[in-house]
Amino acid sequence: MVQSSILGFPRMGRLRDLKKATEAYWADKISRDDLLAEGKRLRLEHWKIQKDAGVDVIPSNDFAFYDQVLDHHQLFGTIPERYSKYNLNPLDEYFAMGRGLQKEGIDVPSLEMVKWFDSNYHYVKPTLQDNQQFKLAAEPKPVAEFLEAKAAGIITRPVILGPVSFLTLAKADRDQTVDPITLLEKLLPLYVELLSKLKAAGAEDVQIDEPVLVFDLAEKSKAAFKPAYEKIGALGAEGPRITLATYFGDIVHNIDVLADLQNLHSIHIDLVRNPEQLDTVVAALGPKQILSAGVVDGRNIWKTNFKAAIEKVENAIQKLGKDRVIVATSSSLLHVPHTLASEKTLDAEVQDWFSFAVEKATEVVVIAKAVTEGPAAVREQLEANAKSVQARASSARTNDPAVKARQAAVTPEMHNRKSAFPERYAEQTKTLKLPLFPTTTIGSFPQTKEIRIQRNKFTKGEITPAEYEKFIEKEIQEVVKIQEELDLDVFVHGEPERNDMVQYFGERLTGYVFTTHAWVQSYGSRCVRPPIIVGDISRPAPMTVKESKYAASISPKPMKGMLTGPITCLRWSFPRDDVHQSVQAQQLALALRDEVVDLEAAGIAVIQVDEPALREGLPLRTGEARAAYLKWAVDSFKLSTAGVTDGTQIHSHFCYSEFQDFFYAIAALDADVLSIENSKSDAKLLKVFIDEAYPRHIGPGVYDIHSPRVPTEQEIKDRIEEMLAYLSPSQLWCNPDCGLKTRGWPETKAALTAMVNAAKYFRQKYSQ
Ligand SMILES: Nc1nc2c(c(=O)[nH]1)N[C@@H](CNc1ccc(C(=O)N[C@@H](CCC(=O)N[C@@H](CCC(=O)N[C@@H](CCC(=O)O)C(=O)O)C(=O)O)C(=O)O)cc1)CN2
Ligand SMILES: [Zn+2]
């Protein structure tokens, strides 16, 4: 019998229950026991959903209160001393690492958070010491959660991050020099101990994720697989059967590693992203090894094409036999929303094209049944599926001849500004007249409860568009006044009208549909509701001009217009899977180009086009694919921004990624001013500016906005001082790491006051 399996389930709950409980706990509105109980309730509910759907292999330990990678810090006893020294209870210590803590004499920033592979999920980077010791937690979470499920009558397959991935994704702590992979020998006994404990608790199977196998691995990481899995495999019958899971790419370039993994029970591969790897991987399996075939997409919301998925699985069965193949999701379902059943406002035509986590659970079961018992056993489901796949392929929604015609008319010149930076800058200074170390913010100001309540009322029709507009104007007045008081140099309107920087644009563009409950975890308690691209994209009307124009009309200082760039709109949406992403990006770029030109015409002389997702779209492996991506991605940004005159200053913004090895691409965008997250990634990034001899203006973030912690003026001065070792005073801007929407007002004002004071200090110093 061919089994069905899921690699991980979204943990927020149907109505973002985990987010609500976690934030209530942080606000001291519920107790620790309440939060722990809510976590337990959600885990149970999610196991039951999968069990009721008929899924054979159900994951556990895929749950986390903040991030599943961060969990391993407590699991392995690698909590940096700056957190452990307070002897907090484990939950608070865990949140302190995730989001920092500033309370009752405690003042500690969070650990660094970065993108999880090429997704919009963020993990907390394991951070290790030169003299790192490891110690398995007394009650390891994977064991506890396995037992919890078992007590409810559900036998699960616990998931843990593998040792090679844990160490490869880790970094040395600030001021430490250790290369984490060299700690393998010390770490391995903990895996052995944990696996024995899991086995003793009754776990027959464990999923060990080694997603780094899809990278071009450094030799040291690659060589670590052999000793790691020899040791783990040596447990034999004393340990559980191991499924080694890879996803988000193929493992063909690392196929020789499989020879060292022959004592593992099964190997999971992503056959949605890279179906062509099947033959190579099958050929490299040991004689008894099982293939876990990831054929149901864990990263997108399109209904699985059963016919195509069944063909892939049948292909594997032909070579391996029915008892050596498992049907699985391509990756964890963490990246898709909970259930389509919550969507009450989607057009029926498109609703039938989608499948979220709950629906995907049924999909793996149907596919497994089809290949086990034959198609007749699930005839009805197969017929219904073929019908929706066909309906989507032939829908008039997907094809807009006017958009196609406009794309055909794009010329190379449309990608370039009229003059080079020095001439542009000369024009810009005529109108802008900025001081040295100009201060600005990244766009959003706190999205207060009041803003969300008013927007909610507006969405529900409880207040009129005019009333909502009036409310937004009042908010803009407020942030303009505050920016005046803070004495910032380039103002923003604060983005109060935006629910999210991508969703907002999705809601205003033709070719998109959007949802009401389709939330996906982005980091910690924060979620996004990615809009869905279903057809060709165009802009029926200006999207941001009204608010920017209003803000400029009441502000004495330059007002920065604020847009989300084409690549970020694409990456943070659920994209189409029927046309290449470069086509979708160009359509977005053309829509945004019109918006940029309209903003300029409305008198907005500084326009920021955010592209924080540019880096995450970079193919995970080096080589030709990367060059091809960068060509169309950079072109899309340039196409969206190059319609303006020299005197209009184009800014762009980057955050949430490691940029050291990517700065050349950001430089290629030819933006006049960049703001780039820097405050947690040490001086590595700064060094690049010298290496690249970066010629334009730049504001590396001077403080971390992900934490409620307020930086001191001295800290900010130290940051700027550090930057001045790499950049000249005339090119440096002063700004936070990212937008302030997730922050409260008191900490925002305090932090910006410190920032403005620090900028003034250097302005004074360098103007003498
Ligand atoms: N798409 C996207 N990806 C991104 C980022 C980003 O800004 N956008 N930033 C980076 C980090 N990720 C982030 C992701 C989310 C949030 C964030 O603040 N999310 C909000 C939700 C934002 C939102 O869409 N809010 C809506 C809906 C708000 C809401 O919850 N409404 C309530 C009702 C209103 C109420 O009583 O609060 C409901 O629907 O139940 C709005 O403002 O209108 C949250 O989780 O709290 C921040 C950063 C990288 N990736
Ligand atoms: Zn940002």
Side-chain angles (χ1 to χ4, degrees):
M1 178 190 131
V2 179
Q3 290 196 314
S4 56
S5 86
I6 288 182
L7 265 56
F9 201 79
R11 46 208 179 217
M12 281 293 149
R14 195 165 63 85
L15 297 168
R16 288 182 297 162
D17 316 58
L18 183 60
K19 169 200 176 62
K20 290 170 190 166
T22 308
E23 291 179 359
Y25 174 68
W26 290 339
D28 283 329
K29 289 188 184 134
I30 65 169
S31 69
R32 186 180 323 137
D33 285 345
D34 291 339
L35 177 57
L36 294 174
E38 181 65 350
K40 183 168 179 176
R41 182 187 72 76
L42 285 166
R43 289 191 291 270
L44 190 60
E45 190 172 306
H46 298 161
W47 290 323
K48 282 209 167 121
I49 288 170
Q50 297 170 81
K51 179 147 179 125
D52 292 347
V55 177
D56 299 307
V57 181
I58 298 171
S60 60
N61 199 45
D62 51 344
F63 179 88
F65 277 108
Y66 199 90
D67 162 45
Q68 75 275 9
V69 181
L70 177 57
D71 285 353
H72 293 76
H73 258 305
Q74 287 186 325
L75 182 62
F76 299 144
T78 52
I79 299 152
E81 202 258 344
R82 60 184 175 281
Y83 304 98
S84 61
K85 70 177 181 192
Y86 295 115
N87 291 314
L88 297 163
N89 78 73
L91 189 64
D92 290 339
E93 181 180 68
Y94 172 76
F95 286 137
M97 287 189 282
R99 60 195 295 267
L101 184 63
Q102 195 171 38
K103 193 174 170 180
E104 293 155 9
I106 300 177
D107 187 357
V108 58
S110 62
L111 292 174
E112 186 181 7
M113 183 172 79
V114 289
K115 289 279 176 188
W116 180 242
F117 293 75
D118 57 359
S119 78
N120 193 10
Y121 179 78
H122 307 69
Y123 73 100
V124 176
K125 217 167 168 42
T127 304
L128 303 174
Q129 315 301 321
D130 289 353
N131 206 350
Q132 186 66 60
Q133 303 300 312
F134 296 91
K135 185 172 186 300
L136 192 67
E139 290 174 37
K141 177 172 170 286
V143 178
E145 291 186 9
F146 174 81
L147 289 172
E148 192 180 291
K150 191 174 164 200
I154 301 173
I155 294 298
T156 56
R157 182 173 74 183
V159 188
I160 51 178
L161 186 59
V164 184
S165 290
F166 177 77
L167 293 173
T168 303
L169 297 173
K171 66 166 188 178
D173 208 349
R174 240 190 138 100
D175 306 322
Q176 304 286 296
T177 55
V178 65
D179 178 0
I181 197 71
T182 61
L183 298 166
L184 183 71
E185 281 299 304
K186 278 181 161 177
L187 175 60
L188 280 178
L190 276 78
Y191 275 87
V192 172
E193 192 185 340
L194 174 62
L195 289 166
S196 320
K197 285 195 165 161
L198 281 167
K199 172 81 177 189
E204 293 298 336
D205 286 280
V206 169
Q207 173 187 329
I208 300 188
D209 284 2
E210 287 286 11
V212 299
L213 261 185
V214 308
F215 286 143
D216 288 314
L217 282 172
E219 203 39 55
K220 272 191 261 183
S221 285
K222 192 168 173 179
F225 277 94
K226 188 177 161 70
Y229 287 92
E230 260 171 19
K231 202 142 204 176
I232 286 172
L235 268 172
E238 306 288 298
R241 304 184 302 192
I242 307 286
T243 296
L244 184 124
T246 66
Y247 35 81
F248 307 152
D250 73 85
I251 58 169
V252 169
H253 51 291
N254 284 323
I255 201 72
D256 47 329
V257 171
L258 251 50
D260 300 324
L261 305 176
Q262 302 268 322
N263 51 12
L264 303 186
H265 176 70
S266 44
I267 304 292
H268 172 87
I269 54 172
D270 185 336
L271 292 176
V272 172
R273 193 74 79 89
N274 291 92
E276 77 291 344
Q277 67 177 320
L278 179 69
D279 289 350
T280 313
V281 174
V282 163
L285 290 178
K288 292 198 176 127
Q289 267 183 323
I290 289 176
L291 181 83
S292 167
V295 293
V296 168
D297 197 350
R299 290 287 297 274
N300 211 335
I301 46 62
W302 302 104
K303 205 175 247 190
T304 303
N305 179 332
F306 280 161
K307 184 165 172 283
I310 289 169
E311 267 168 28
K312 285 182 202 169
V313 179
E314 288 288 6
N315 190 351
I317 290 175
Q318 254 178 21
K319 295 175 176 115
L320 297 168
K322 279 189 186 173
D323 52 345
R324 287 182 58 204
V325 176
I326 300 181
V327 172
T329 55
S330 66
S331 66
S332 166
L333 297 175
L334 178 66
H335 312 282
V336 296
H338 188 89
T339 177
L340 191 56
S342 299
E343 299 305 321
K344 310 289 184 209
T345 58
L346 276 175
D347 186 300
E349 184 193 7
V350 296
Q351 174 126 10
D352 182 52
W353 300 349
F354 306 146
S355 173
F356 298 172
V358 170
E359 293 74 39
K360 283 171 192 274
T362 301
E363 289 187 345
V364 284
V365 174
V366 171
I367 297 168
K369 196 162 177 192
V371 295
T372 304
E373 301 174 21
V378 286
R379 208 188 62 219
E380 242 172 72
Q381 287 97 322
L382 297 191
E383 281 174 3
N385 180 270
K387 238 170 101 186
S388 14
V389 168
Q390 173 58 32
R392 182 178 160 217
S394 57
S395 167
R397 271 177 193 269
T398 55
N399 189 12
D400 181 342
V403 174
K404 298 259 164 32
R406 197 162 174 213
Q407 288 188 280
V410 170
T411 60
E413 300 78 62
M414 286 168 72
H415 298 88
N416 296 325
R417 298 286 299 268
K418 296 182 178 56
S419 312
F421 176 69
E423 291 95 81
R424 300 195 310 249
Y425 184 62
E427 278 305 304
Q428 292 159 19
T429 46
K430 285 185 195 158
T431 43
L432 293 176
K433 305 202 183 359
L434 295 170
L436 268 183
F437 302 96
T439 53
T440 190
T441 58
I442 307 305
S444 56
F445 271 103
Q447 286 264 333
T448 56
K449 185 93 201 144
E450 178 63 10
I451 295 182
R452 295 204 197 277
I453 288 172
Q454 293 300 325
R455 181 157 46 244
N456 202 20
K457 282 189 179 167
F458 170 57
T459 313
K460 288 192 183 141
E462 290 168 14
I463 56 172
T464 64
E467 283 168 325
Y468 183 61
E469 189 173 326
K470 198 142 195 73
F471 169 75
I472 293 296
E473 285 187 354
K474 190 182 73 48
E475 288 295 318
I476 294 175
Q477 286 164 23
E478 197 76 7
V479 298
V480 166
K481 189 165 138 257
I482 292 169
Q483 292 173 92
E484 277 167 25
E485 283 161 9
L486 289 165
D487 201 17
L488 287 154
D489 299 308
V490 173
F491 285 13
V492 296
H493 77 286
E495 306 179 24
E497 77 288 5
R498 302 189 190 175
N499 42 16
D500 171 76
M501 59 187 289
V502 169
Q503 190 191 339
Y504 181 80
F505 290 93
E507 287 170 1
R508 280 155 185 77
L509 289 165
T510 303
Y512 265 103
V513 298
F514 45 92
T515 62
T516 52
H517 293 80
W519 294 97
V520 177
Q521 185 178 11
S522 182
Y523 71 89
S525 69
R526 296 284 168 178
C527 301
V528 294
R529 211 165 24 171
I532 305 171
I533 306 179
V534 295
D536 288 338
I537 299 158
S538 59
R539 186 192 75 144
M543 305 180 282
T544 65
V545 175
K546 190 174 66 187
E547 290 80 10
S548 283
K549 203 172 162 178
Y550 175 74
S553 77
I554 57 165
S555 136
K557 295 269 182 76
M559 179 61 60
K560 184 160 64 166
M562 198 58 60
L563 300 174
T564 305
I567 300 301
T568 303
C569 282
L570 175 71
R571 298 286 320 172
W572 294 356
S573 302
F574 287 117
R576 294 167 74 165
D577 59 357
D578 57 341
V579 296
H580 196 267
Q581 297 208 353
S582 60
V583 176
Q584 302 174 65
Q586 194 186 48
Q587 294 175 355
L588 284 159
L590 287 167
L592 288 161
R593 181 181 176 93
D594 295 345
E595 187 74 12
V596 168
V597 169
D598 283 351
L599 281 171
E600 180 183 60
I604 307 296
V606 183
I607 302 170
Q608 179 174 309
V609 180
D610 295 325
E611 277 294 25
L614 186 67
R615 171 69 176 82
E616 83 187 42
L618 190 68
L620 296 170
R621 295 189 53 208
T622 54
E624 277 167 38
R626 281 196 170 180
Y629 164 77
L630 283 173
K631 171 83 182 99
W632 62 259
V634 168
D635 271 357
S636 301
F637 178 89
K638 292 176 73 181
L639 182 60
S640 68
T641 51
V644 293
T645 60
D646 286 347
T648 295
Q649 189 169 70
I650 297 289
H651 289 222
S652 189
H653 163 70
F654 298 85
C655 55
Y656 291 101
S657 286
E658 292 162 293
F659 292 115
Q660 300 81 269
D661 61 346
F662 186 67
F663 192 71
Y664 65 99
I666 297 177
L669 302 177
D670 195 28
D672 298 305
V673 183
L674 297 173
S675 62
I676 182 161
E677 173 171 336
N678 168 62
S679 71
K680 273 193 280 190
S681 43
D682 319 325
K684 278 180 298 195
L685 172 64
L686 296 173
K687 199 179 154 304
V688 177
F689 300 144
I690 289 205
D691 297 344
E692 298 273 331
Y694 188 68
R696 292 178 292 276
H697 289 192
I698 187 159
V702 296
Y703 76 90
D704 172 28
I705 57 86
H706 303 111
S707 149
R709 181 179 175 276
V710 174
T712 64
E713 191 177 314
Q714 191 55 47
E715 269 171 61
I716 297 181
K717 284 183 183 158
D718 293 345
R719 282 288 148 98
I720 298 175
E721 197 72 72
E722 196 179 21
M723 291 171 198
L724 284 165
Y726 302 91
L727 289 157
S728 87
S730 64
Q731 62 183 153
L732 208 51
W733 283 58
C734 239
N735 46 259
D737 261 353
C738 184
L740 299 160
K741 64 186 165 199
T742 59
R743 298 276 55 88
W745 270 112
E747 76 237 24
T748 297
K749 287 187 188 173
L752 290 177
T753 302
M755 182 185 92
V756 171
N757 288 341
K760 285 181 174 168
Y761 166 83
F762 285 100
R763 195 172 294 162
Q764 174 91 25
K765 184 168 163 189
Y766 281 90
S767 62
Q768 279 157 10

